[in-house]
Amino acid sequence: MSLTSHRLTRPVATQPLPAARMGLALWVMGMPGAIAVAHTAPPAWLVTLADGASAETLGWIAALGLGIMLALAIWLGLKLGPQVGLSTPLIHAAVEGRTPWRGMRVLSLPGVAGGVIGAAWLVTLAVVWPESMSFVDPVYGLPLLPKLLYGGFTEELLLRFGMLSLVMWLMWKAFGSPKHRPGWLLGWSAIAIAALLSAGIPVYLGWTVTGTMSAAVVAQLLVCEIVYGLLAGVMFWRYGLESAMLTHLVTYLLSHGLI
């Protein structure tokens, strides 16, 4: 079966769900990763802004900020995603009380394959580039469990479910047809723009607030995040958010200790 047929036949959120129940389920899924990364590797720009605060205080400030951002991203994803064919088919089914075994089989293979590709990309980048990956992005140096919780769930909800849904919806409204969901050109364009934003925003914050990021670090972070953003974005668009989550989980499992 082709990628196109998968996209046309996979379940999407066409029927209204109890928004509060779905939103709460996704927020609870993302918050452990937000708390873990906030207390182990808070953003450098936040450390600078909160100069003098204790590590505990800084961690909870970061967790609160991530929790608010997570809630906004989930609201955007639930509101806009179904209009452009972006969905969470397995989580949707679970919240409705159904057991999505068939969906799990359909989404697991591309998710695992994407994870193998993602791990190979990170390891290759770590070998050929002079800067340490954990120096480029502290998340890469986290212990395995916080890394999996944040990358596999929190980051996918923020960057794919929230940001990509918003970018694709805006482009669809501006350039698409209300009678059709985004096609290949519009979909790929939205994924590329979201990948650029997901890489550019942390670089901008880190560089302008702290002023400590070298050109080599900026280049490595941009290259790493843009390529991975394209991979995870395609997984979300073609198969569902859970496939992008699985891709991220497998990527970190296979590359942990090697980057």
Short mmCIF file of all heavy atoms in Angstrom, two decimals, residues 163-231:
data_model
loop_
_atom_site.label_atom_id
_atom_site.label_comp_id
_atom_site.label_asym_id
_atom_site.label_seq_id
_atom_site.Cartn_x
_atom_site.Cartn_y
_atom_site.Cartn_z
N MET A 163 3.15 23.38 16.61
CA MET A 163 3.72 24.27 15.60
C MET A 163 3.40 23.85 14.18
O MET A 163 2.97 24.66 13.36
CB MET A 163 5.23 24.36 15.78
CG MET A 163 5.89 25.31 14.79
SD MET A 163 7.70 25.31 14.89
CE MET A 163 7.94 26.05 16.49
N LEU A 164 3.61 22.56 13.86
CA LEU A 164 3.36 22.12 12.49
C LEU A 164 1.88 22.24 12.13
O LEU A 164 1.55 22.62 11.00
CB LEU A 164 3.85 20.69 12.29
CG LEU A 164 3.65 20.09 10.89
CD1 LEU A 164 4.24 20.98 9.81
CD2 LEU A 164 4.26 18.69 10.81
N SER A 165 1.00 21.93 13.07
CA SER A 165 -0.43 22.08 12.79
C SER A 165 -0.77 23.53 12.47
O SER A 165 -1.52 23.82 11.53
CB SER A 165 -1.26 21.62 14.01
OG SER A 165 -1.12 20.24 14.22
N LEU A 166 -0.20 24.47 13.23
CA LEU A 166 -0.46 25.88 12.99
C LEU A 166 0.10 26.32 11.64
O LEU A 166 -0.58 27.00 10.86
CB LEU A 166 0.16 26.72 14.11
CG LEU A 166 0.07 28.24 13.94
CD1 LEU A 166 -1.38 28.71 13.86
CD2 LEU A 166 0.81 28.95 15.07
N VAL A 167 1.36 25.96 11.35
CA VAL A 167 1.98 26.38 10.10
C VAL A 167 1.23 25.81 8.90
O VAL A 167 0.93 26.52 7.93
CB VAL A 167 3.46 25.94 10.06
CG1 VAL A 167 4.06 26.15 8.66
CG2 VAL A 167 4.27 26.70 11.09
N MET A 168 0.87 24.52 8.95
CA MET A 168 0.17 23.92 7.82
C MET A 168 -1.22 24.51 7.65
O MET A 168 -1.68 24.75 6.53
CB MET A 168 0.09 22.40 7.98
CG MET A 168 -0.37 21.69 6.71
SD MET A 168 -0.28 19.88 6.79
CE MET A 168 1.48 19.61 6.80
N TRP A 169 -1.89 24.80 8.75
CA TRP A 169 -3.23 25.40 8.67
C TRP A 169 -3.15 26.80 8.06
O TRP A 169 -3.98 27.15 7.22
CB TRP A 169 -3.85 25.45 10.07
CG TRP A 169 -5.24 26.00 10.09
CD1 TRP A 169 -6.40 25.32 9.85
CD2 TRP A 169 -5.63 27.36 10.36
NE1 TRP A 169 -7.49 26.17 9.96
CE2 TRP A 169 -7.04 27.42 10.27
CE3 TRP A 169 -4.92 28.52 10.67
CZ2 TRP A 169 -7.75 28.60 10.49
CZ3 TRP A 169 -5.62 29.70 10.88
CH2 TRP A 169 -7.02 29.74 10.79
N LEU A 170 -2.17 27.60 8.48
CA LEU A 170 -2.01 28.95 7.93
C LEU A 170 -1.72 28.89 6.43
O LEU A 170 -2.28 29.68 5.65
CB LEU A 170 -0.89 29.68 8.66
CG LEU A 170 -1.18 30.11 10.10
CD1 LEU A 170 0.08 30.67 10.75
CD2 LEU A 170 -2.31 31.14 10.16
N MET A 171 -0.84 27.98 6.02
CA MET A 171 -0.52 27.88 4.60
C MET A 171 -1.70 27.37 3.79
O MET A 171 -1.95 27.79 2.67
CB MET A 171 0.69 26.96 4.42
CG MET A 171 1.97 27.55 4.97
SD MET A 171 3.44 26.61 4.47
CE MET A 171 3.44 26.93 2.70
N TRP A 172 -2.45 26.45 4.38
CA TRP A 172 -3.66 25.93 3.72
C TRP A 172 -4.69 27.04 3.54
O TRP A 172 -5.31 27.16 2.47
CB TRP A 172 -4.21 24.78 4.55
CG TRP A 172 -5.51 24.20 4.06
CD1 TRP A 172 -5.74 23.60 2.86
CD2 TRP A 172 -6.74 24.15 4.78
NE1 TRP A 172 -7.04 23.18 2.78
CE2 TRP A 172 -7.68 23.50 3.95
CE3 TRP A 172 -7.14 24.57 6.04
CZ2 TRP A 172 -9.00 23.29 4.34
CZ3 TRP A 172 -8.45 24.35 6.44
CH2 TRP A 172 -9.38 23.72 5.60
N LYS A 173 -4.88 27.87 4.56
CA LYS A 173 -5.81 28.99 4.47
C LYS A 173 -5.36 30.00 3.42
O LYS A 173 -6.18 30.62 2.73
CB LYS A 173 -5.95 29.67 5.83
CG LYS A 173 -6.83 28.92 6.82
CD LYS A 173 -8.27 28.88 6.36
CE LYS A 173 -9.19 28.23 7.38
NZ LYS A 173 -10.60 28.19 6.91
N ALA A 174 -4.04 30.21 3.34
CA ALA A 174 -3.51 31.22 2.43
C ALA A 174 -3.42 30.73 0.99
O ALA A 174 -3.71 31.49 0.05
CB ALA A 174 -2.13 31.67 2.91
N PHE A 175 -3.02 29.47 0.79
CA PHE A 175 -2.73 29.00 -0.56
C PHE A 175 -3.51 27.77 -1.00
O PHE A 175 -3.48 27.41 -2.18
CB PHE A 175 -1.22 28.67 -0.69
CG PHE A 175 -0.32 29.80 -0.28
CD1 PHE A 175 0.41 29.73 0.90
CD2 PHE A 175 -0.23 30.94 -1.06
CE1 PHE A 175 1.25 30.77 1.28
CE2 PHE A 175 0.60 31.98 -0.69
CZ PHE A 175 1.34 31.90 0.48
N GLY A 176 -4.20 27.12 -0.07
CA GLY A 176 -4.90 25.89 -0.40
C GLY A 176 -6.35 26.09 -0.77
O GLY A 176 -6.86 27.22 -0.82
N SER A 177 -7.01 24.99 -1.00
CA SER A 177 -8.43 25.01 -1.34
C SER A 177 -9.24 24.51 -0.14
O SER A 177 -8.88 23.50 0.47
CB SER A 177 -8.70 24.10 -2.54
OG SER A 177 -10.09 23.87 -2.70
N PRO A 178 -10.32 25.22 0.22
CA PRO A 178 -11.13 24.76 1.35
C PRO A 178 -11.80 23.41 1.10
O PRO A 178 -12.27 22.77 2.03
CB PRO A 178 -12.17 25.88 1.51
CG PRO A 178 -12.23 26.56 0.18
CD PRO A 178 -10.84 26.46 -0.38
N LYS A 179 -11.82 22.97 -0.17
CA LYS A 179 -12.47 21.70 -0.51
C LYS A 179 -11.51 20.52 -0.41
O LYS A 179 -11.95 19.37 -0.47
CB LYS A 179 -13.04 21.77 -1.92
CG LYS A 179 -14.14 22.81 -2.08
CD LYS A 179 -14.68 22.81 -3.51
CE LYS A 179 -15.77 23.86 -3.69
NZ LYS A 179 -16.29 23.87 -5.08
N HIS A 180 -10.21 20.79 -0.29
CA HIS A 180 -9.22 19.72 -0.29
C HIS A 180 -8.20 19.95 0.81
O HIS A 180 -7.82 21.09 1.09
CB HIS A 180 -8.51 19.64 -1.64
CG HIS A 180 -9.43 19.46 -2.80
ND1 HIS A 180 -10.03 18.26 -3.10
CD2 HIS A 180 -9.87 20.35 -3.73
CE1 HIS A 180 -10.79 18.40 -4.17
NE2 HIS A 180 -10.72 19.66 -4.57
N ARG A 181 -7.72 18.88 1.40
CA ARG A 181 -6.63 18.97 2.36
C ARG A 181 -5.32 19.26 1.63
O ARG A 181 -5.23 19.10 0.43
CB ARG A 181 -6.53 17.67 3.16
CG ARG A 181 -7.68 17.49 4.14
CD ARG A 181 -7.56 16.18 4.87
NE ARG A 181 -8.60 16.04 5.87
CZ ARG A 181 -8.81 14.94 6.58
NH1 ARG A 181 -8.03 13.89 6.39
NH2 ARG A 181 -9.78 14.90 7.47
N PRO A 182 -4.30 19.71 2.38
CA PRO A 182 -3.03 20.06 1.74
C PRO A 182 -2.45 18.92 0.92
O PRO A 182 -2.42 17.77 1.34
CB PRO A 182 -2.12 20.39 2.94
CG PRO A 182 -3.05 20.82 4.01
CD PRO A 182 -4.29 19.99 3.84
N GLY A 183 -1.99 19.27 -0.29
CA GLY A 183 -1.33 18.30 -1.16
C GLY A 183 0.16 18.24 -0.86
O GLY A 183 0.66 18.80 0.12
N TRP A 184 0.89 17.56 -1.76
CA TRP A 184 2.31 17.35 -1.52
C TRP A 184 3.09 18.65 -1.40
O TRP A 184 3.89 18.82 -0.49
CB TRP A 184 2.90 16.50 -2.65
CG TRP A 184 2.78 15.04 -2.40
CD1 TRP A 184 1.83 14.20 -2.92
CD2 TRP A 184 3.60 14.23 -1.55
NE1 TRP A 184 2.02 12.92 -2.44
CE2 TRP A 184 3.10 12.91 -1.60
CE3 TRP A 184 4.70 14.49 -0.76
CZ2 TRP A 184 3.66 11.87 -0.90
CZ3 TRP A 184 5.27 13.45 -0.04
CH2 TRP A 184 4.75 12.15 -0.13
N LEU A 185 2.87 19.59 -2.33
CA LEU A 185 3.64 20.84 -2.33
C LEU A 185 3.39 21.64 -1.07
O LEU A 185 4.33 22.08 -0.38
CB LEU A 185 3.31 21.67 -3.57
CG LEU A 185 4.03 23.02 -3.67
CD1 LEU A 185 5.54 22.82 -3.69
CD2 LEU A 185 3.57 23.77 -4.93
N LEU A 186 2.13 21.82 -0.72
CA LEU A 186 1.81 22.61 0.46
C LEU A 186 2.24 21.88 1.73
O LEU A 186 2.76 22.50 2.66
CB LEU A 186 0.30 22.90 0.49
CG LEU A 186 -0.17 24.04 1.39
CD1 LEU A 186 -1.44 24.66 0.82
CD2 LEU A 186 -0.42 23.57 2.81
N GLY A 187 2.05 20.58 1.76
CA GLY A 187 2.44 19.81 2.95
C GLY A 187 3.93 19.84 3.20
O GLY A 187 4.38 20.09 4.32
N TRP A 188 4.72 19.59 2.15
CA TRP A 188 6.17 19.63 2.30
C TRP A 188 6.66 21.02 2.66
O TRP A 188 7.60 21.18 3.44
CB TRP A 188 6.84 19.14 1.02
CG TRP A 188 7.03 17.66 0.98
CD1 TRP A 188 6.29 16.75 0.29
CD2 TRP A 188 8.02 16.91 1.68
NE1 TRP A 188 6.76 15.49 0.51
CE2 TRP A 188 7.82 15.54 1.34
CE3 TRP A 188 9.07 17.24 2.54
CZ2 TRP A 188 8.62 14.53 1.86
CZ3 TRP A 188 9.87 16.22 3.05
CH2 TRP A 188 9.64 14.89 2.70
N SER A 189 6.04 22.05 2.06
CA SER A 189 6.43 23.42 2.38
C SER A 189 6.18 23.73 3.84
O SER A 189 7.02 24.35 4.52
CB SER A 189 5.66 24.40 1.48
OG SER A 189 5.94 24.18 0.12
N ALA A 190 5.03 23.30 4.35
CA ALA A 190 4.71 23.55 5.76
C ALA A 190 5.68 22.81 6.68
O ALA A 190 6.14 23.36 7.69
CB ALA A 190 3.27 23.11 6.05
N ILE A 191 6.01 21.57 6.34
CA ILE A 191 6.96 20.80 7.14
C ILE A 191 8.33 21.48 7.15
O ILE A 191 8.98 21.57 8.19
CB ILE A 191 7.06 19.36 6.61
CG1 ILE A 191 5.75 18.60 6.89
CG2 ILE A 191 8.24 18.62 7.24
CD1 ILE A 191 5.65 17.27 6.18
N ALA A 192 8.77 21.97 5.99
CA ALA A 192 10.07 22.64 5.91
C ALA A 192 10.09 23.93 6.74
O ALA A 192 11.06 24.20 7.46
CB ALA A 192 10.40 22.94 4.45
N ILE A 193 9.02 24.71 6.66
CA ILE A 193 8.96 25.97 7.42
C ILE A 193 8.94 25.67 8.92
O ILE A 193 9.63 26.33 9.72
CB ILE A 193 7.73 26.79 6.99
CG1 ILE A 193 7.92 27.31 5.57
CG2 ILE A 193 7.49 27.95 7.97
CD1 ILE A 193 6.69 27.98 5.00
N ALA A 194 8.15 24.68 9.33
CA ALA A 194 8.10 24.31 10.75
C ALA A 194 9.45 23.81 11.24
O ALA A 194 9.86 24.10 12.36
CB ALA A 194 7.02 23.25 10.98
N ALA A 195 10.17 23.06 10.39
CA ALA A 195 11.51 22.59 10.77
C ALA A 195 12.47 23.76 10.93
O ALA A 195 13.28 23.79 11.87
CB ALA A 195 12.03 21.61 9.71
N LEU A 196 12.39 24.73 10.05
CA LEU A 196 13.23 25.93 10.16
C LEU A 196 12.92 26.69 11.44
O LEU A 196 13.82 27.17 12.14
CB LEU A 196 13.02 26.83 8.95
CG LEU A 196 13.66 26.37 7.64
CD1 LEU A 196 13.14 27.22 6.48
CD2 LEU A 196 15.17 26.47 7.73
N LEU A 197 11.63 26.81 11.77
CA LEU A 197 11.25 27.52 12.99
C LEU A 197 11.71 26.78 14.23
O LEU A 197 12.21 27.38 15.18
CB LEU A 197 9.73 27.70 13.03
CG LEU A 197 9.13 28.72 12.05
CD1 LEU A 197 7.62 28.65 12.09
CD2 LEU A 197 9.61 30.12 12.38
N SER A 198 11.55 25.45 14.24
CA SER A 198 11.95 24.66 15.41
C SER A 198 13.44 24.73 15.65
O SER A 198 13.90 24.60 16.79
CB SER A 198 11.51 23.20 15.25
OG SER A 198 12.23 22.56 14.20
N ALA A 199 14.23 24.95 14.59
CA ALA A 199 15.67 25.11 14.75
C ALA A 199 16.04 26.55 15.03
O ALA A 199 16.93 26.84 15.83
CB ALA A 199 16.39 24.62 13.49
N GLY A 200 15.36 27.48 14.36
CA GLY A 200 15.74 28.88 14.46
C GLY A 200 15.38 29.55 15.76
O GLY A 200 16.14 30.40 16.26
N ILE A 201 14.25 29.19 16.36
CA ILE A 201 13.81 29.86 17.59
C ILE A 201 14.79 29.65 18.74
O ILE A 201 15.21 30.62 19.38
CB ILE A 201 12.38 29.41 17.96
CG1 ILE A 201 11.38 29.98 16.95
CG2 ILE A 201 12.02 29.86 19.38
CD1 ILE A 201 9.97 29.48 17.13
N PRO A 202 15.19 28.40 19.07
CA PRO A 202 16.17 28.24 20.16
C PRO A 202 17.52 28.87 19.85
O PRO A 202 18.19 29.38 20.75
CB PRO A 202 16.29 26.72 20.33
CG PRO A 202 15.78 26.14 19.06
CD PRO A 202 14.74 27.09 18.57
N VAL A 203 17.93 28.85 18.57
CA VAL A 203 19.19 29.50 18.20
C VAL A 203 19.09 31.00 18.44
O VAL A 203 19.99 31.62 19.00
CB VAL A 203 19.53 29.21 16.72
CG1 VAL A 203 20.64 30.14 16.23
CG2 VAL A 203 19.96 27.77 16.56
N TYR A 204 17.97 31.59 18.02
CA TYR A 204 17.79 33.04 18.21
C TYR A 204 17.81 33.40 19.70
O TYR A 204 18.49 34.35 20.12
CB TYR A 204 16.47 33.47 17.58
CG TYR A 204 16.13 34.92 17.86
CD1 TYR A 204 16.74 35.94 17.13
CD2 TYR A 204 15.21 35.25 18.85
CE1 TYR A 204 16.43 37.27 17.38
CE2 TYR A 204 14.90 36.58 19.11
CZ TYR A 204 15.52 37.58 18.37
OH TYR A 204 15.22 38.89 18.64
N LEU A 205 17.06 32.64 20.50
CA LEU A 205 17.01 32.93 21.94
C LEU A 205 18.38 32.76 22.59
O LEU A 205 18.83 33.60 23.37
CB LEU A 205 15.99 32.02 22.63
CG LEU A 205 14.52 32.30 22.32
CD1 LEU A 205 13.64 31.21 22.90
CD2 LEU A 205 14.10 33.66 22.84
N GLY A 206 19.05 31.66 22.25
CA GLY A 206 20.35 31.40 22.85
C GLY A 206 21.40 32.41 22.45
O GLY A 206 22.21 32.86 23.27
N TRP A 207 21.39 32.81 21.19
CA TRP A 207 22.41 33.71 20.69
C TRP A 207 22.19 35.15 21.17
O TRP A 207 23.11 35.85 21.59
CB TRP A 207 22.44 33.67 19.17
CG TRP A 207 23.77 34.03 18.59
CD1 TRP A 207 24.85 34.55 19.24
CD2 TRP A 207 24.17 33.87 17.23
NE1 TRP A 207 25.88 34.74 18.38
CE2 TRP A 207 25.50 34.33 17.13
CE3 TRP A 207 23.54 33.38 16.09
CZ2 TRP A 207 26.21 34.32 15.94
CZ3 TRP A 207 24.25 33.37 14.90
CH2 TRP A 207 25.57 33.83 14.83
N THR A 208 20.93 35.61 21.11
CA THR A 208 20.68 37.01 21.45
C THR A 208 20.67 37.27 22.95
O THR A 208 21.06 38.35 23.39
CB THR A 208 19.33 37.47 20.86
OG1 THR A 208 18.29 36.62 21.36
CG2 THR A 208 19.35 37.42 19.35
N VAL A 209 20.23 36.29 23.74
CA VAL A 209 20.15 36.51 25.19
C VAL A 209 21.47 36.23 25.88
O VAL A 209 21.92 37.00 26.73
CB VAL A 209 19.02 35.67 25.81
CG1 VAL A 209 18.98 35.84 27.32
CG2 VAL A 209 17.67 36.07 25.21
N THR A 210 22.13 35.12 25.51
CA THR A 210 23.38 34.76 26.19
C THR A 210 24.62 35.23 25.44
O THR A 210 25.64 35.51 26.05
CB THR A 210 23.46 33.24 26.38
OG1 THR A 210 23.64 32.61 25.11
CG2 THR A 210 22.21 32.70 27.05
N GLY A 211 24.53 35.29 24.13
CA GLY A 211 25.67 35.71 23.33
C GLY A 211 26.85 34.77 23.38
O GLY A 211 27.98 35.17 23.09
N THR A 212 26.62 33.51 23.74
CA THR A 212 27.73 32.57 23.93
C THR A 212 27.78 31.46 22.87
O THR A 212 28.60 30.56 22.98
CB THR A 212 27.64 31.91 25.31
OG1 THR A 212 26.37 31.24 25.43
CG2 THR A 212 27.76 32.96 26.41
N MET A 213 26.91 31.49 21.89
CA MET A 213 26.87 30.42 20.90
C MET A 213 27.79 30.77 19.74
O MET A 213 27.63 31.80 19.08
CB MET A 213 25.44 30.20 20.40
CG MET A 213 24.48 29.76 21.48
SD MET A 213 22.83 29.40 20.85
CE MET A 213 23.13 27.87 19.99
N SER A 214 28.77 29.90 19.48
CA SER A 214 29.68 30.12 18.36
C SER A 214 28.98 29.80 17.05
O SER A 214 27.94 29.13 17.01
CB SER A 214 30.91 29.24 18.52
OG SER A 214 30.57 27.87 18.35
N ALA A 215 29.59 30.25 15.96
CA ALA A 215 29.03 29.99 14.65
C ALA A 215 28.97 28.49 14.36
O ALA A 215 28.02 28.01 13.74
CB ALA A 215 29.86 30.70 13.58
N ALA A 216 29.97 27.74 14.83
CA ALA A 216 29.98 26.29 14.60
C ALA A 216 28.82 25.61 15.32
O ALA A 216 28.17 24.71 14.77
CB ALA A 216 31.31 25.69 15.06
N VAL A 217 28.56 26.04 16.55
CA VAL A 217 27.46 25.47 17.31
C VAL A 217 26.13 25.81 16.65
O VAL A 217 25.23 24.96 16.52
CB VAL A 217 27.48 25.97 18.76
CG1 VAL A 217 26.21 25.57 19.49
CG2 VAL A 217 28.68 25.40 19.49
N VAL A 218 25.97 27.06 16.22
CA VAL A 218 24.74 27.48 15.55
C VAL A 218 24.51 26.65 14.30
O VAL A 218 23.40 26.15 14.06
CB VAL A 218 24.80 28.98 15.21
CG1 VAL A 218 23.64 29.37 14.30
CG2 VAL A 218 24.76 29.82 16.48
N ALA A 219 25.55 26.50 13.49
CA ALA A 219 25.42 25.73 12.25
C ALA A 219 25.05 24.28 12.52
O ALA A 219 24.18 23.70 11.86
CB ALA A 219 26.72 25.81 11.45
N GLN A 220 25.70 23.66 13.52
CA GLN A 220 25.43 22.26 13.82
C GLN A 220 24.01 22.08 14.34
O GLN A 220 23.31 21.13 13.97
CB GLN A 220 26.43 21.73 14.86
CG GLN A 220 26.36 20.23 15.07
CD GLN A 220 27.46 19.73 15.99
OE1 GLN A 220 28.29 20.51 16.43
NE2 GLN A 220 27.45 18.45 16.28
N LEU A 221 23.57 23.00 15.20
CA LEU A 221 22.21 22.90 15.73
C LEU A 221 21.18 23.07 14.62
O LEU A 221 20.19 22.33 14.56
CB LEU A 221 22.00 23.96 16.81
CG LEU A 221 20.64 23.98 17.50
CD1 LEU A 221 20.32 22.62 18.13
CD2 LEU A 221 20.60 25.07 18.57
N LEU A 222 21.41 24.04 13.73
CA LEU A 222 20.48 24.26 12.62
C LEU A 222 20.40 23.04 11.71
O LEU A 222 19.31 22.58 11.36
CB LEU A 222 20.90 25.48 11.82
CG LEU A 222 20.66 26.85 12.46
CD1 LEU A 222 21.28 27.95 11.62
CD2 LEU A 222 19.18 27.11 12.67
N VAL A 223 21.55 22.50 11.32
CA VAL A 223 21.57 21.34 10.44
C VAL A 223 20.88 20.15 11.09
O VAL A 223 20.04 19.47 10.49
CB VAL A 223 23.02 20.98 10.06
CG1 VAL A 223 23.08 19.63 9.35
CG2 VAL A 223 23.62 22.06 9.16
N CYS A 224 21.21 19.90 12.36
CA CYS A 224 20.65 18.76 13.08
C CYS A 224 19.13 18.87 13.20
O CYS A 224 18.40 17.94 12.85
CB CYS A 224 21.29 18.68 14.47
SG CYS A 224 20.63 17.34 15.49
N GLU A 225 18.66 20.02 13.66
CA GLU A 225 17.24 20.17 13.94
C GLU A 225 16.40 20.27 12.68
O GLU A 225 15.26 19.79 12.65
CB GLU A 225 17.01 21.41 14.83
CG GLU A 225 17.63 21.30 16.21
CD GLU A 225 17.11 20.11 16.99
OE1 GLU A 225 15.92 19.79 16.86
OE2 GLU A 225 17.89 19.50 17.72
N ILE A 226 16.93 20.91 11.64
CA ILE A 226 16.16 21.03 10.41
C ILE A 226 15.95 19.66 9.77
O ILE A 226 14.83 19.30 9.39
CB ILE A 226 16.86 21.99 9.42
CG1 ILE A 226 16.74 23.43 9.93
CG2 ILE A 226 16.25 21.87 8.02
CD1 ILE A 226 17.56 24.42 9.15
N VAL A 227 17.01 18.87 9.67
CA VAL A 227 16.88 17.54 9.07
C VAL A 227 15.95 16.67 9.90
O VAL A 227 15.05 15.98 9.37
CB VAL A 227 18.26 16.87 8.91
CG1 VAL A 227 18.10 15.41 8.48
CG2 VAL A 227 19.10 17.63 7.89
N TYR A 228 16.12 16.70 11.23
CA TYR A 228 15.25 15.87 12.05
C TYR A 228 13.81 16.38 12.01
O TYR A 228 12.85 15.60 12.04
CB TYR A 228 15.73 15.81 13.51
CG TYR A 228 14.99 14.74 14.25
CD1 TYR A 228 15.40 13.41 14.16
CD2 TYR A 228 13.83 15.03 14.96
CE1 TYR A 228 14.68 12.41 14.77
CE2 TYR A 228 13.11 14.03 15.57
CZ TYR A 228 13.54 12.72 15.48
OH TYR A 228 12.81 11.74 16.08
N GLY A 229 13.63 17.72 11.94
CA GLY A 229 12.29 18.27 11.84
C GLY A 229 11.57 17.82 10.58
O GLY A 229 10.36 17.57 10.59
N LEU A 230 12.33 17.69 9.48
CA LEU A 230 11.73 17.18 8.24
C LEU A 230 11.29 15.73 8.42
O LEU A 230 10.18 15.35 8.00
CB LEU A 230 12.74 17.29 7.10
CG LEU A 230 13.10 18.70 6.63
CD1 LEU A 230 14.25 18.64 5.62
CD2 LEU A 230 11.90 19.40 6.01
N LEU A 231 12.14 14.91 9.03
CA LEU A 231 11.82 13.50 9.23
C LEU A 231 10.58 13.33 10.11
O LEU A 231 9.63 12.62 9.75
CB LEU A 231 13.01 12.79 9.85
CG LEU A 231 12.82 11.33 10.27
CD1 LEU A 231 12.51 10.47 9.06
CD2 LEU A 231 14.05 10.80 11.01
#
